[in-house]
Amino acid sequence: MAHPQLFDLVILGASGFTGKRVLKQALKFLNAPSSPLRSIALAGRTPSNLSQALQWASRPNSPPTDIPLLTADTSDPDSLRALCSRTRLIINCVGPFRRHGEPVVAACAASGCDYLDVTGEMEFMERAEARYHERAVESGSLVVCACGFDSVPAELGVLFNSVQWVGESSPYRVVGYLTAESERRIVGNFGTFESAVLAVDSVKDLKELRRSRPARPRPAIPGPPLKGALIEHEKKIGLWGVELPSADSTLVGRTFSTLTENPYGLPGRNESAEMVEKRKAFWSSVKPAHFGVKIASKHLLSIFVYITMGIFIGLLGKISFGRWLLLKYPSLFTFGVFSKNGPTEEEVESASFKMWFVGHGYSKKSVATEGNRKPDMEIITRVMGPEMGYVTTPIILIQCALVLLSQRDNLPKGGVYTPGIVFGATDLRDRLQQNGMSFDVISKSKLSS
């Protein structure tokens, strides 16, 4: 009996808003010269929708004829198991992940198939780690959530800032200021908004989950605990910022916890001697810091709009009727920032993001321990790229997939991990720079104490 073909990659949910853009990005690397990607399959509930997505993603060319369309449903475990048996890697684009993600992680962890997704949903990610990490370690399934705009720019951005603190110097806190920029009005993806609304409802579950698990070790960070104002003005970069309750800071914290347990990072499944050296050198140069993210703007009025939007989501998201209202009339409650239709192609093309990392710390670690000394050093770095949800996210996800496919032996054998700890010491940052993103050092300066 002939064995079914083993694909390099299956995109699950390829006909959705994000899925079809991930597919478009993947096609650029399919059978390209030096690309490890030789075979793709698409999976979803409705093959006709997958066929339309393939046509859309292939334009202006005609779609490849050798990409199978497979039927799979997140509510049908047998279909997911069958999918895992036919591929090395599943990319999951079916959200909200709180509703549809767990069965896919379970199938991958049981079968040894690798898994990447684009979630930013904290409760789902921590539940996946709590329930499936041990199984994934046993089976050799590498499960990495949040391989899109949430949370790779933040994770790689913090690590990039951290390694600029050379010699005796040491960071204490790094704050990310995120700005979305566009010549046109920019409209957010409804799926992102839906995840944010559902996240409010899952706060209780997340707290319970955290209470039920043993505390992770935390890195030793010099200086007193963090205190920040509700609205901060960062003069050097000319931005106002208010705290953004995103997954980024939690994921960075989890990466630093894993690093505290494994000071040289996680060893690869069967890594080369060269990679062992590279990995140890990289992680030895990383100095953990407190990290937080703020949504930022040059205009104070925009900050008040963000705060009002946050209040609507925070209050209404706690009750089912409130969630129904928010999801039925997203434009109304977000002042047009999110809509059910999402942005037009022109809006997507004109948009970009900048994430500034303002690091404060000490020129010498010994200074930090001298009583209540203020930080005397500042390093500002920046990550920039195209529109976050529809352009940057597929770029990041596919580059993570290409690293995983081409360098699998240099990555951990299996387990549920954050993108930072898995991809930090690889060439992912270089690949992102070759595909439209940039990582820059803006300034290094001494602060007067």
Side-chain angles (χ1 to χ4, degrees), residues 24-328:
K24 189 183 178 84
Q25 188 66 20
L27 291 176
K28 291 183 188 175
F29 296 92
L30 181 61
N31 294 318
S34 77
S35 165
L37 192 55
R38 292 283 172 253
S39 56
I40 294 179
L42 310 183
R45 283 182 307 197
T46 317
S48 59
N49 291 353
L50 295 174
S51 172
Q52 284 170 5
L54 184 56
Q55 279 174 329
W56 179 89
S58 307
R59 292 195 307 233
N61 306 318
S62 52
T65 51
D66 57 348
I67 295 186
L69 310 178
L70 310 174
T71 305
D73 191 328
T74 57
S75 65
D76 175 3
D78 289 343
S79 72
L80 297 176
R81 277 196 289 274
L83 214 54
C84 290
S85 69
R86 297 192 61 184
T87 185
R88 295 170 60 192
L89 169 64
I90 284 183
I91 281 183
N92 186 11
C93 298
V94 184
F97 288 83
R98 182 184 179 195
R99 290 183 181 153
H100 304 290
E102 190 172 335
V104 191
V105 172
C108 288
S111 68
C113 170
D114 292 332
Y115 171 100
L116 300 176
D117 71 28
V118 293
T119 187
E121 298 170 41
M122 218 46 258
E123 193 254 343
F124 159 71
M125 288 188 259
E126 294 192 26
R127 191 158 33 101
E129 185 190 43
R131 289 185 182 169
Y132 301 103
H133 176 72
E134 299 305 328
R135 186 76 188 89
V137 169
E138 280 168 31
S139 71
S141 161
L142 186 55
V143 174
V144 194
C145 299
C147 293
F149 185 80
D150 283 334
S151 284
V152 171
E155 287 241 73
L156 293 191
V158 170
L159 295 175
F160 180 69
N161 187 286
S162 173
V163 299
Q164 311 307 323
W165 296 80
V166 293
E168 293 268 295
S169 68
S170 185
Y172 156 59
R173 65 174 270 188
V174 178
V175 179
Y177 289 85
L178 173 63
T179 63
E181 308 187 1
S182 177
E183 289 95 65
R184 297 165 181 262
R185 175 93 200 232
I186 180 77
V187 178
N189 168 3
F190 178 73
T192 306
F193 178 69
E194 184 178 21
S195 293
V197 170
L198 294 176
V200 176
D201 185 38
S202 68
V203 166
K204 209 164 58 259
D205 298 339
L206 181 57
K207 281 182 178 160
E208 268 172 39
L209 177 65
R210 285 176 177 169
R211 273 200 297 271
S212 71
R213 303 190 67 200
R216 301 276 310 263
R218 294 180 174 213
I221 297 168
L226 267 187
K227 284 198 279 289
L230 172 67
I231 298 175
E232 290 196 20
H233 187 229
E234 190 51 66
K235 294 186 187 68
K236 284 261 181 80
I237 53 176
L239 294 173
W240 296 90
V242 63
E243 191 170 329
L244 180 67
S246 76
D248 292 346
S249 50
T250 311
L251 280 157
V252 167
R254 282 170 62 201
T255 290
F256 284 152
S257 281
T258 308
L259 185 60
T260 307
E261 295 163 323
N262 309 269
Y264 296 113
L266 298 169
R269 176 170 80 176
N270 188 15
E271 68 189 323
S272 63
E274 183 192 4
M275 186 60 196
V276 174
E277 287 306 304
K278 189 180 161 190
R279 169 172 61 79
K280 288 185 171 177
F282 175 79
W283 288 113
S284 302
S285 67
V286 169
K287 298 175 179 178
H290 297 291
F291 177 63
V293 185
K294 296 185 185 294
I295 188 162
S297 173
K298 291 180 178 130
H299 311 291
L300 194 52
L301 181 64
S302 301
I303 297 299
F304 287 114
V305 169
Y306 294 143
I307 291 172
T308 309
M309 212 166 92
I311 290 169
F312 278 142
I313 296 172
L315 290 176
L316 293 173
K318 287 178 181 164
I319 49 174
S320 59
F321 178 64
R323 290 191 291 279
W324 178 83
L325 275 178
L326 288 167
L327 298 176
K328 182 136 176 79

Side-chain angles (χ1 to χ4, degrees), residues 349-364:
E349 274 164 35
S350 74
S352 62
F353 80 89
K354 286 182 183 151
M355 197 165 187
W356 305 79
F357 293 82
V358 179
H360 287 143
Y362 301 92
S363 52
K364 287 192 171 68

Side-chain angles (χ1 to χ4, degrees), residues 380-421:
I380 299 178
T381 54
R382 183 183 64 204
V383 179
M384 290 195 318
E387 190 281 329
M388 6 180 166
Y390 297 106
V391 187
T392 290
T393 286
I395 288 171
I396 294 171
L397 184 59
I398 292 303
Q399 290 307 319
C400 288
L402 295 174
V403 170
L404 198 146
L405 291 170
S406 62
Q407 301 164 43
R408 184 62 186 89
D409 280 347
N410 289 332
L411 301 177
K413 173 179 173 271
V416 180
Y417 296 110
T418 56
I421 203 74

Side-chain angles (χ1 to χ4, degrees), residues 402-446:
L402 295 174
V403 170
L404 198 146
L405 291 170
S406 62
Q407 301 164 43
R408 184 62 186 89
D409 280 347
N410 289 332
L411 301 177
K413 173 179 173 271
V416 180
Y417 296 110
T418 56
I421 203 74
V422 171
F423 296 112
T426 69
D427 61 349
L428 177 61
R429 193 182 83 219
D430 298 340
R431 287 166 171 268
L432 296 178
Q433 299 209 105
Q434 289 156 17
N435 285 277
M437 287 173 67
S438 67
F439 290 74
D440 305 293
V441 177
I442 304 301
S443 65
K444 294 187 177 192
S445 51
K446 275 289 185 86

